[in-house]
Amino acid sequence: MQWLYVYLPSLQLDSLLHQQAYDEACVLVHQNQVVQANTQARQLGITLGTGLAAAALLCAQLKVIAYDHKHEQRLLRQLAQRLYQTSATLYLDPPQGLLLQTSDMLKLYKGIAAYWQRLQQPLIERGLHYHYASAHSPLAAQVLARAGNDRLLNNTQEANTLLAQLPIQRVGLAAKLTQQLERLGLNTLGQAQALPRSALGQRLGQELVTYLQQLDHTKAPAKTNYQPPERFRQGLELLYDIELSSALRFPLRRLLDDLEAFLAPRKLQAGGLNLSLHYRELPAEKVHIGCSGGEYRAQVWLNLAMLHLEQLQLQAPIIAMRLSTSGQHSWEPLSNQLFEPQGGKLTADQLISRLQNKLGNHAVQQVFLRDDHRPERSFYQGLPKTHAAAPNATVCLRPSLLLTIPKALHHKPNHQWCVMSGPERIQSGWWDNVSICRDYFIARNPLGQVCWLFRTPTEEWFLHGYFA
Amino acid sequence: MALTQLNQLEQQRLVWRARQVVAPDQRRQSSFYPALDKHLQGGWPQAGLVELACGSAGIGEIRLLLPLLAQAKPRLQVWINPPAELNGQALAQHGINLSQTLLVRCQNPQHALWSAEQSLTSGCCSHLLLWGPNLTSTQAKRLQVAAKDNQVLMFWLHNQPAPSTSALPISVRLSLAPQATGLSLKIYKSQGQWPQHPCHINMHTLWPSLAAQPQPVANNIVVLPAQAQ
């Protein structure tokens, strides 16, 4: 079996800087030590392991960001998600490594060069620094990649030669063990390999023996391989605080592009998005962006999201954003427009979601029928569904405009009213405790409005609607 | 002197020249009321903005449009800010496809206009009804252009007794007045046509119980019990 290891020594820093096109010296610091530094910082003499105080002395304008282990793991998973489209079997090796099984994929890509070219693309797009190596065993590939080997080796012999030449400090053994080996005068890995294993085991412990065995062990590592998530969920840490909600467009665009890259190959659409905007101290601002028909394209989502964000008043600067989908379903092509003379720019669903996102869900509604003889309950308003089946309408004449609350008439309709039909008695409703007993009349009032009136058993008159 | 005045009047769109008619779209859609079709020379325009000054809500303005809406192609019909709740039963009774009917309600008049423009430009909507107090010349122009470009017939209904006085750049302007037999229509403007006499719409044929027959008979009127006392 053939293995490829990709080592990303400054994953978190590269991602942060690439997102925001920052080109000044910048370092990540963990426990007062520089753990990742960009090229500009290295040029100033800052190396990994430099103390924070020393680094600050070397560069007064140094941008210092805290290293976040969890964030880096998230980034690694995001990268794996992207590489999964190229390579089937891959293993996460947190915090900064990815192990890929290449033997199965070589047939598809016709050679390791073409395969590696495809793999490299997302790494370059994200502006990541990386080292890589391929070898016969997972551990050998890892050790060679971490040593900055950057070669695709085909045969075991070549890999073993390279491994044997590696200085003992750079093979990833524990610091104590490395020290012990150095004291024995073993300066390269090859020298240690040449010694009998049993003797090494007795003097230096089982750990080293296992390590050496692992170097030749070509089987897959004893952990489950990476499985892409079912749902989209991604975050973005901002290098600058954003105070204007309209300026959120650019980082949001990046997240939505990732969303599109997630949904499109799966032939999925998101029915809605949950966007949370994180403040430094206040609880996060949550925004739900709906799209009634479902959508996967970043541009469409961006337009919908901006309708929300333009109305949003930020209470404090935003430092991070998270985006997740609410409801994913498979994508159905719309075929209803094929023979229409003029192609619409939007489908009905898209128009509805655009209106809903600006005006709120309650403002955009559709009328549905219900099987009930009481006028108020014979229909209801709800969220639009453009493909709903409706029950049959009543055969009795009903007004097109109905008052929500019947308006009491202060006096009985007099001779100026012209009654055109009636009475029609609508009664009962004992099953849900909203019992009514009304005699309905259709009458034209002095203004010429054709009104729907009713009389209660207590001789009170109400106006209930207009035959507009 | 006279010429500058004429120029001023022209700039205010108060002068209409017969040669300005740039071949108006002659395609018409029938209103399903023979009298109205005759007066509008074939019916409502295919696309554009129509102003209906109703005087007061409920005199039959929706009935005037129902036959047209019921016959429309299965595309979205948007109703923005109707003056009361839309009774689905009544609409469905007259053949309106409720699944293609969208109801938009917003307090802010700017939002209502925004929704109207979005619906017009979406290209998925065939008719639009907007209830609103008044439109400025710019707003009317935008709606008219959007409606024409996207082949939507838009009705703007309001409760003033006559169309607004300013020369709005829209297709048709009418005022409605109630009558026992239906409606009386006064056509103030119809693009590409000469002025017309008022026209009487007979609603008795479609709604026998809501409108009297054109020759009213005295015993048609039912006397309320209230008056007998």
Side-chain angles (χ1 to χ4, degrees):
Chain A
M1 255 196 260
Q2 193 76 15
W3 297 90
L4 178 74
Y5 192 91
V6 181
Y7 175 55
L8 306 144
S10 50
L11 178 58
Q12 189 191 342
L13 185 66
D14 290 343
S15 310
L16 274 174
L17 297 184
H18 181 66
Q19 278 160 12
Q20 289 148 77
Y22 186 80
D23 51 5
E24 302 289 319
C26 182
V27 291
L28 288 193
V29 171
H30 183 57
Q31 291 174 349
N32 271 330
Q33 278 198 340
V34 174
V35 289
Q36 294 179 15
N38 67 351
T39 329
Q40 286 85 347
R42 282 168 202 271
Q43 277 167 0
L44 293 169
I46 299 170
T47 54
L48 303 192
T50 310
L52 182 56
L57 277 177
L58 284 167
C59 175
Q61 277 83 40
L62 187 69
K63 181 148 183 97
V64 180
I65 302 165
Y67 172 74
D68 182 353
H69 178 70
K70 277 187 186 156
H71 177 49
E72 196 165 58
Q73 281 212 8
R74 272 202 299 275
L75 289 170
L76 191 67
R77 276 200 298 276
Q78 284 171 21
L79 186 65
Q81 194 176 313
R82 178 69 185 78
L83 293 183
Y84 188 77
Q85 289 168 28
T86 311
S87 195
T89 318
L90 51 95
Y91 298 85
L92 298 181
D93 186 23
Q96 291 158 341
L98 283 171
L99 179 69
L100 299 92
Q101 201 220 72
T102 58
S103 22
D104 295 344
M105 306 309 296
L106 292 186
K107 218 173 192 174
L108 176 65
Y109 291 99
K110 300 195 174 69
I112 194 151
Y115 169 68
W116 173 240
Q117 204 171 8
R118 288 290 294 273
L119 276 180
Q120 237 178 340
Q121 242 165 20
L123 303 178
I124 295 169
E125 273 167 23
R126 283 155 200 252
L128 299 174
H129 291 92
Y130 57 88
H131 293 296
Y132 61 97
S134 77
H136 55 282
S137 76
L139 186 61
Q142 181 190 339
V143 170
L144 286 172
R146 280 177 185 268
N149 188 268
D150 292 355
R151 281 169 70 181
L152 298 169
L153 304 171
N154 273 330
N155 58 32
T156 318
Q157 201 124 47
E158 224 176 326
N160 278 337
T161 324
L162 281 172
L163 279 173
Q165 288 166 359
L166 281 182
I168 205 78
Q169 298 89 352
R170 299 185 58 189
V171 298
L173 284 170
K176 193 182 165 198
L177 199 57
T178 312
Q179 211 176 17
Q180 282 177 321
L181 285 165
E182 274 177 329
R183 283 187 190 147
L184 286 170
L186 303 171
N187 289 323
T188 62
L189 187 60
Q191 288 170 334
Q193 277 174 320
L195 295 173
R197 299 270 161 95
S198 53
L200 273 180
Q202 275 174 8
R203 295 193 69 167
L204 298 168
Q206 195 55 36
E207 193 191 336
L208 182 63
V209 179
T210 321
Y211 176 85
L212 291 175
Q213 275 169 355
Q214 289 277 328
L215 277 182
D216 297 325
H217 189 72
T218 62
K219 293 275 165 52
K223 56 182 170 188
T224 50
N225 58 354
Y226 171 78
Q227 291 298 327
E230 297 273 318
R231 312 189 74 78
F232 179 83
R233 176 191 288 272
Q234 207 163 99
L236 185 64
E237 314 289 323
L238 301 169
L239 200 53
Y240 300 100
D241 295 355
I242 290 186
E243 291 173 43
L244 272 175
S245 59
S246 55
L248 291 169
R249 168 183 276 267
F250 305 102
L252 184 61
R253 172 81 211 202
R254 191 171 295 278
L255 282 177
L256 291 172
D257 281 337
D258 286 342
L259 172 77
E260 183 175 332
F262 178 89
L263 294 176
R266 292 170 169 80
K267 283 273 174 284
L268 285 178
Q269 284 187 323
L273 295 183
N274 292 320
L275 176 68
S276 54
L277 305 168
H278 294 261
Y279 297 117
R280 203 172 292 282
E281 279 164 10
L282 298 166
E285 195 90 53
K286 288 198 163 50
V287 181
H288 178 82
I289 308 154
C291 183
S292 71
E295 184 54 69
Y296 71 94
R297 282 169 297 176
Q299 187 57 48
V300 178
W301 276 121
L302 186 66
N303 289 342
L304 292 177
M306 287 319 288
L307 290 176
H308 278 282
L309 294 183
E310 277 158 10
Q311 293 171 10
L312 192 69
Q313 291 286 324
L314 295 183
Q315 300 162 26
I318 298 294
I319 59 160
M321 316 165 75
R322 300 255 176 284
L323 186 71
S324 62
T325 56
S326 66
Q328 289 177 183
H329 51 87
S330 60
W331 184 72
E332 288 161 18
L334 292 158
S335 58
N336 54 355
Q337 295 284 322
L338 189 58
F339 297 108
E340 288 285 308
Q342 68 270 345
K345 278 183 241 149
L346 299 179
T347 62
D349 285 332
Q350 285 169 335
L351 172 66
I352 291 169
S353 32
R354 184 171 287 190
L355 296 177
Q356 280 176 336
N357 278 295
K358 172 94 173 184
L359 310 171
N361 279 352
H362 58 279
V364 186
Q365 304 216 298
Q366 218 165 39
V367 186
F368 299 95
L369 300 186
R370 194 158 32 199
D371 282 324
D372 200 316
H373 65 287
R374 287 164 296 178
E376 299 95 328
R377 293 171 175 262
S378 63
F379 67 95
Y380 62 97
Q381 292 177 3
L383 291 183
K385 284 188 224 98
T386 42
H387 312 286
N392 289 332
T394 166
V395 288
C396 308
L397 192 61
R398 292 282 175 265
S400 47
L401 293 180
L402 205 67
L403 302 181
T404 321
I405 301 159
K407 195 173 130 195
L409 294 180
H410 295 303
H411 41 80
K412 285 180 187 173
N414 54 19
H415 64 281
Q416 285 179 320
W417 291 67
C418 165
V419 174
M420 287 178 285
S421 104
E424 177 194 349
R425 175 156 290 192
I426 296 179
Q427 193 173 11
S428 192
W430 48 264
W431 51 90
D432 54 8
N433 286 326
V434 190
S435 229
I436 59 167
C437 175
R438 296 167 181 175
D439 286 335
Y440 276 94
F441 294 88
I442 299 173
R444 200 172 54 240
N445 71 2
L447 282 174
Q449 294 167 309
V450 185
C451 305
W452 207 36
L453 306 172
F454 69 81
R455 185 180 59 190
T456 59
T458 52
E459 286 290 320
E460 286 169 304
W461 287 81
F462 290 90
L463 170 65
H464 201 182
Y466 296 107
F467 289 86
Chain B
M1 181 64 194
L3 199 65
T4 48
Q5 274 182 349
L6 187 63
N7 280 342
Q8 275 180 0
L9 289 177
E10 257 194 314
Q11 276 168 10
Q12 291 166 9
R13 295 166 185 271
L14 295 173
V15 177
W16 179 78
R17 287 173 192 269
R19 65 176 161 85
Q20 279 176 343
V21 181
V22 276
D25 194 353
Q26 288 302 340
R27 287 177 301 157
R28 299 270 148 178
Q29 39 186 320
S30 171
S31 65
F32 297 90
Y33 289 100
L36 183 60
D37 283 358
K38 193 167 147 251
H39 269 72
L40 289 174
Q41 294 174 14
W44 301 112
Q46 190 67 27
L49 176 54
V50 175
E51 177 182 358
L52 298 179
C54 306
S56 46
I59 57 169
E61 68 276 18
I62 295 180
R63 271 181 287 150
L64 185 68
L65 307 178
L66 276 181
L68 169 78
L69 298 178
Q71 296 298 320
K73 273 188 238 156
R75 287 166 74 197
L76 221 51
Q77 296 176 348
V78 185
W79 301 54
I80 303 175
N81 282 346
E85 257 186 276
L86 275 191
N87 187 347
Q89 294 285 354
L91 299 186
Q93 231 169 40
H94 294 110
I96 303 273
N97 184 353
L98 289 182
S99 67
Q100 293 291 337
T101 303
L102 201 63
L103 179 62
V104 178
R105 285 195 183 280
C106 35
Q107 302 293 322
N108 186 339
Q110 287 303 322
H111 283 176
L113 289 176
W114 178 86
S115 328
E117 196 180 20
Q118 289 297 319
S119 312
L120 291 176
T121 51
S122 72
C124 61
C125 153
S126 68
H127 293 89
L128 192 143
L129 280 74
L130 169 74
W131 277 263
N134 44 34
L135 293 182
T136 66
S137 182
T138 335
Q139 290 165 344
K141 178 89 187 163
R142 271 178 76 162
L143 293 174
Q144 164 83 353
V145 169
K148 284 232 159 185
D149 286 352
N150 294 284
Q151 292 294 303
V152 186
L153 182 57
M154 170 173 172
F155 293 96
W156 164 41
L157 299 97
H158 58 76
N159 287 347
Q160 274 121 39
S164 42
T165 46
S166 63
L168 290 185
I170 61 180
S171 299
V172 181
R173 300 168 70 204
L174 303 171
S175 73
L176 318 182
Q179 280 206 328
T181 57
L183 284 171
S184 142
L185 256 66
K186 198 169 169 198
I187 300 169
Y188 283 75
K189 170 187 177 184
S190 175
Q191 232 171 31
Q193 290 172 8
W194 297 107
Q196 298 279 340
H197 296 295
C199 109
H200 298 279
I201 302 282
N202 170 16
M203 288 201 166
H204 182 77
T205 356
L206 286 170
W207 282 277
S209 48
L210 297 183
Q213 271 195 341
Q215 292 83 31
V217 184
N219 62 10
N220 231 10
I221 298 166
V222 179
V223 179
L224 276 177
Q227 215 206 352
Q229 291 174 354

